[in-house]
Amino acid sequence: MVLDLILFRRRLVGTLWLWKVVATMKDTLRQLLREALARCYQNGSLVSGEVPAEIMVEVPANPDHGDFATNLALILAKKEKSAPRKVAEALMRALSREEDIFTRVEIAGPGFINFFLTPRCWYGVLDEIAEQGRGFGRQGFGAGTRVQVEFVSANPTGPLHIGHGRGAATGDALASLLAACGYQVEREYYINDAGNQMQTLGRSILLRCRELLGETVEFPGDCYQGEYIRDLAQEVLSEKGEQLLKAPEEETVPFLTDFGGSRILAGIAADLEDFGVRFDNWYSERSLYERGEIQKGIDYLREKGFAYEKDEALWFESTRFGDDKDRVMLRSNGVTTYFASDVAYHKEKFERGFDLVIDIWGADHHGYIPRMKAVVAALGRDKEALQVVLVQLVNLLRGGAPAAMSTRSGEFVTLREVMDEVGTDACRYYFLSRHSDSKLDFDLELAKEQSANNPVYYVQYAHARICSIKRKASEEGMEQPSRDAVDFSALGLPEELTLTKLLAQFPEVVAAAGRAFEPHRLTAYLQELATQFHAYYNRHRVVGEDVKTTSARLYLVNCIQTVIASALSILGISAPEKM
RNA sequence: GCGCCAGUAGCUCAGAUGGAUAGAGCAACGGACUUCUAAUCCGUAGGCCGGGGGUUCGAGUCCCUCCUGGCGUGCCA
């Protein structure tokens, strides 16, 4: 164990071959501290014998506090019945000095121990990036786990609106993020093509057809009001002719439901495609009925004894699994509920072999979480196997004034319109720059107006600038240096070290974002990286007369480009070479 | 009534597992282009982290309570 560590350190310093420098350094420091602590107990400078299960090593927010810091002395002080700084001193005296690693170790504040690493320690990460390219930062902790991310899943009763766009961006980025963490990921869209909303769609089209044929009809408020219904009516009439309406309504409405539903769904698919979202599966709710899955779901719960009849309805005893109320699956009128579909659907998801199922829902459905978790538990699964990520509704504004978003009222702004006005990159970045579970004001006028000032361009611009530098270097006859041709001692600027440390953090950012299911952490990281790069760019020239310096800087800058492109690609945002 | 989410700079929001002097982007003000892209940079200013208690070496973060806002609380989807 100790031998491994020594060998590791030698390799670390000797070859500068660093692997995930931040995470690994933390482990190394933890081990050194553990050794120091043991030594303290041996020589009696500390007496409590307390050994924390895990020693905390962190990257301080303030660079003056070193590259890494530990609160170990603060934790021990109480058991030691001694002042934290005294404990820290004992630890520090016992700490073996690795001069190749540390430039300085100090006690600060209430008793933190701060570690300052040699620049050479850090620059090794550049080789890692150069070697792994887009693979740098990828994690392995998801390996062997099959995960499904289900998102958007809007009824095919009208076009997607801006709120769906947020769900689409979040779900898609989360799926990519999890893939980057090693998970085997599938994206799925659940088509709610059963139930009375679809009937309403068919009825709405029928009424518009009659209108088009000159009939005076009263168009009910609960029908879909949007202009697209008229378009569909027009379309079906020109295809089928007036004959269509001669048939009895019981035949016409289902036909129109299918007709409208499939057209609308095709439109949705096209919108999502242009938004950069591709699903592995489009899963039809109606197919659950057709294959008898709904009945199987109900039967399953009944056989397990988790269902009972009351008031002529069939209930799932979800309270047994933590829900605050039992839920109806089969209504007294003989019609199954939406919930029954969800039981069957989720049962089927797990039967398909997913270890983890993630549902992305609008936050207005948050009340459904306990009952769906109850279903998962009733299926004999760990409740944690279902994770629900909530996306708060988008508050759509137009010039500061609220714009209605109800599909039924027809007064909505479609995702298509927003994409055309704002651009998909800006739109996606905007959605992904905030925690999905916090409300979002999306002012169309502002989004358009700000487009030149949008953070997404700031990040993309950094990428484009690096491409430009590389073009310039190429023109000057400087090719991208190979690993061995780079002398890191040429990277003497504080900005260069700062940038390198930021790059070294990328794997941890990916891991943290993946574990928390929070892709928005990547935008925060990108912002920071771009900021540091732009500052560097404005102060120093990469391509200069000095070959050694130029070469080292090109190497660094190329790594920055790799990481920016990599992070943007996870978010589904393009990394342009020119702007 | 009960439940979930939120309340951080003028505005929009970041702040995982409790850490040191709470950050960024807009907006405001003053500066920097004969240079690899000024979609950039540098500087200034801006805060009882909704209020009040508590837990401890330490709280924006955890607990309690109150206030405010959004959502949910169907044999709707």
Side-chain angles (χ1 to χ4, degrees):
Chain A
M1 181 69 184
V2 176
L3 183 66
D4 281 355
L5 189 77
I6 290 164
L7 286 175
F8 170 71
R9 277 182 220 148
R10 186 152 300 151
R11 189 180 62 181
L12 180 86
V13 176
T15 69
L16 284 173
W17 192 75
L18 277 198
W19 182 65
K20 290 181 203 160
V21 76
V22 174
T24 314
M25 273 315 299
K26 281 185 179 176
D27 284 341
T28 305
L29 290 173
R30 266 191 278 266
Q31 184 59 30
L32 288 173
L33 285 164
R34 216 169 278 131
E35 289 168 14
L37 186 56
R39 233 167 271 140
C40 285
Y41 289 138
Q42 235 163 33
N43 67 24
S45 56
L46 292 179
V47 294
S48 69
E50 179 81 6
V51 178
E54 190 170 355
I55 294 172
M56 210 173 283
V57 175
E58 291 185 330
V59 178
N62 186 341
D64 292 342
H65 297 145
D67 295 315
F68 297 95
T70 183
N71 61 358
L72 181 59
L74 293 157
I75 301 289
L76 290 174
K78 193 173 187 184
K79 297 268 181 188
E80 285 291 327
K81 295 187 178 119
S82 167
R85 289 189 71 107
K86 293 214 149 135
V87 178
E89 272 167 37
L91 282 167
M92 214 171 84
R93 269 196 303 273
L95 197 68
S96 69
R97 291 313 179 91
E98 304 283 336
E99 286 181 10
D100 293 328
I101 299 181
F102 302 123
T103 54
R104 191 150 53 99
V105 181
E106 67 180 21
I107 298 172
F112 290 100
I113 302 175
N114 297 337
F115 301 95
F116 296 80
L117 270 56
T118 62
R120 289 174 62 85
C121 262
W122 288 108
Y123 286 122
V125 79
L126 300 181
D127 285 337
E128 200 53 31
I129 297 169
E131 233 167 63
Q132 296 186 4
R134 296 286 186 92
F136 176 75
R138 296 186 74 86
Q139 302 293 306
F141 65 82
T145 305
R146 280 190 65 198
V147 52
Q148 181 206 57
V149 183
E150 182 224 316
F151 58 109
V152 187
S153 300
N155 293 341
T157 55
L160 296 179
H161 57 65
I162 185 71
H164 296 124
R166 189 180 191 189
T170 303
D172 190 49
L174 177 59
S176 301
L177 175 60
L178 293 176
C181 291
Y183 290 96
Q184 189 185 334
V185 183
E186 282 185 36
R187 293 167 168 82
E188 181 149 308
Y189 186 115
Y190 180 57
I191 311 162
N192 293 122
D193 52 4
N196 46 33
Q197 294 205 9
M198 292 305 289
Q199 296 259 332
T200 303
L201 173 67
R203 208 153 49 89
S204 303
I205 298 174
L206 177 64
L207 291 173
R208 290 302 187 203
C209 282
R210 287 193 182 142
E211 226 172 42
L212 286 169
L213 294 176
E215 242 182 81
T216 323
V217 299
E218 195 190 322
F219 200 77
D222 66 341
C223 280
Y224 294 107
Q225 310 286 319
E227 198 58 35
Y228 66 94
I229 299 291
R230 280 203 181 83
D231 297 342
L232 286 168
Q234 187 67 258
E235 207 178 321
V236 74
L237 280 177
S238 60
E239 263 181 42
K240 295 287 166 185
E242 298 181 16
Q243 288 301 105
L244 180 73
L245 301 194
K246 301 249 163 68
E249 271 194 28
E250 303 84 63
E251 287 172 32
T252 321
V253 169
F255 171 79
L256 290 173
T257 297
D258 283 357
F259 178 87
S262 62
R263 296 298 158 105
I264 291 170
L265 191 61
I268 287 174
D271 288 353
L272 288 170
E273 176 86 27
D274 291 346
F275 197 54
V277 181
R278 277 205 179 192
F279 289 93
D280 299 297
N281 296 306
W282 295 78
Y283 197 98
S284 155
E285 178 185 6
R286 208 198 292 181
S287 77
L288 285 170
Y289 282 94
E290 287 163 1
R291 295 192 323 259
E293 293 291 332
I294 308 281
Q295 193 56 48
K296 279 188 230 166
I298 289 172
D299 289 346
Y300 173 88
L301 293 177
R302 224 204 294 251
E303 281 161 24
K304 288 281 180 182
F306 301 149
Y308 62 90
E309 281 179 47
K310 192 183 90 181
D311 303 335
E312 294 174 9
L314 184 71
W315 300 69
F316 168 49
E317 200 182 348
S318 55
T319 48
R320 193 159 165 167
F321 302 99
D323 197 7
D324 51 12
K325 203 185 152 199
D326 291 341
R327 307 294 170 179
V328 171
M329 294 188 288
L330 186 59
R331 292 189 262 162
S332 53
N333 64 5
V335 179
T336 53
T337 58
Y338 182 84
F339 177 64
S341 299
D342 268 338
V343 171
Y345 181 39
H346 284 77
K347 177 168 173 284
E348 205 279 341
K349 285 188 185 197
F350 285 110
E351 280 165 3
R352 274 190 272 163
F354 293 109
D355 304 298
L356 175 63
V357 166
I358 300 177
D359 288 3
I360 308 243
W361 291 354
D364 53 338
H365 288 79
H366 71 260
Y368 282 71
I369 296 175
R371 77 188 71 168
M372 281 319 301
K373 291 249 184 191
V375 170
V376 174
L379 291 169
R381 290 278 181 156
D382 186 336
K383 277 184 187 175
E384 296 304 302
L386 171 69
Q387 292 292 323
V388 179
V389 171
L390 294 177
V391 178
Q392 289 286 347
L393 301 184
V394 178
N395 185 28
L396 191 68
L397 306 172
R398 197 177 261 291
M405 269 205 308
S406 158
T407 311
R408 200 157 290 173
S409 74
E411 276 182 75
F412 51 82
V413 175
T414 62
L415 175 60
R416 170 67 62 185
E417 283 177 87
V418 177
M419 276 158 59
D420 291 347
E421 286 177 14
V422 182
T424 59
D425 280 346
C427 196
R428 286 182 72 125
Y429 195 96
Y430 196 90
F431 286 138
L432 293 170
S433 59
R434 288 155 173 71
H435 186 114
S436 69
D437 196 5
S438 73
K439 283 174 294 176
L440 175 64
D441 283 338
F442 198 107
D443 191 312
L444 287 161
E445 302 303 325
L446 216 60
K448 273 186 284 185
E449 212 178 287
Q450 281 185 339
S451 66
N453 249 340
N454 197 304
V456 69
Y457 298 113
Y458 183 82
V459 173
Q460 288 181 322
Y461 189 52
H463 184 271
R465 264 184 159 172
I466 294 172
C467 293
S468 176
I469 291 171
K470 286 164 74 174
R471 281 194 295 272
K472 170 76 176 177
S474 181
E475 282 164 22
E476 311 260 314
M478 278 293 305
E479 289 311 318
Q480 196 51 227
S482 68
R483 202 181 126 176
D484 305 327
V486 177
D487 183 351
F488 290 135
S489 68
L491 297 175
L493 297 167
E495 290 94 334
E496 288 161 346
L497 194 54
T498 301
L499 278 162
T500 303
K501 288 177 184 176
L502 256 181
L503 294 174
Q505 269 174 32
F506 182 59
E508 278 210 339
V509 173
V510 172
R515 287 189 212 276
F517 303 143
E518 291 178 357
H520 79 275
R521 296 190 193 196
L522 288 179
T523 53
Y525 173 78
L526 277 170
Q527 179 75 36
E528 175 67 15
L529 185 56
T531 298
Q532 294 301 332
F533 168 72
H534 284 309
Y536 176 59
Y537 177 94
N538 272 276
R539 259 195 284 257
H540 310 286
R541 284 189 65 82
V542 172
V543 182
E545 309 80 44
D546 177 13
V547 176
K548 194 173 120 184
T549 307
T550 300
S551 171
R553 290 183 178 178
L554 270 177
Y555 197 64
L556 167 65
V557 142
N558 187 55
C559 290
I560 297 170
Q561 184 200 354
T562 299
V563 171
I564 290 178
S566 179
L568 283 175
S569 125
I570 290 172
L571 298 174
I573 296 165
S574 70
E577 304 204 344
K578 277 185 184 173
M579 285 175 74

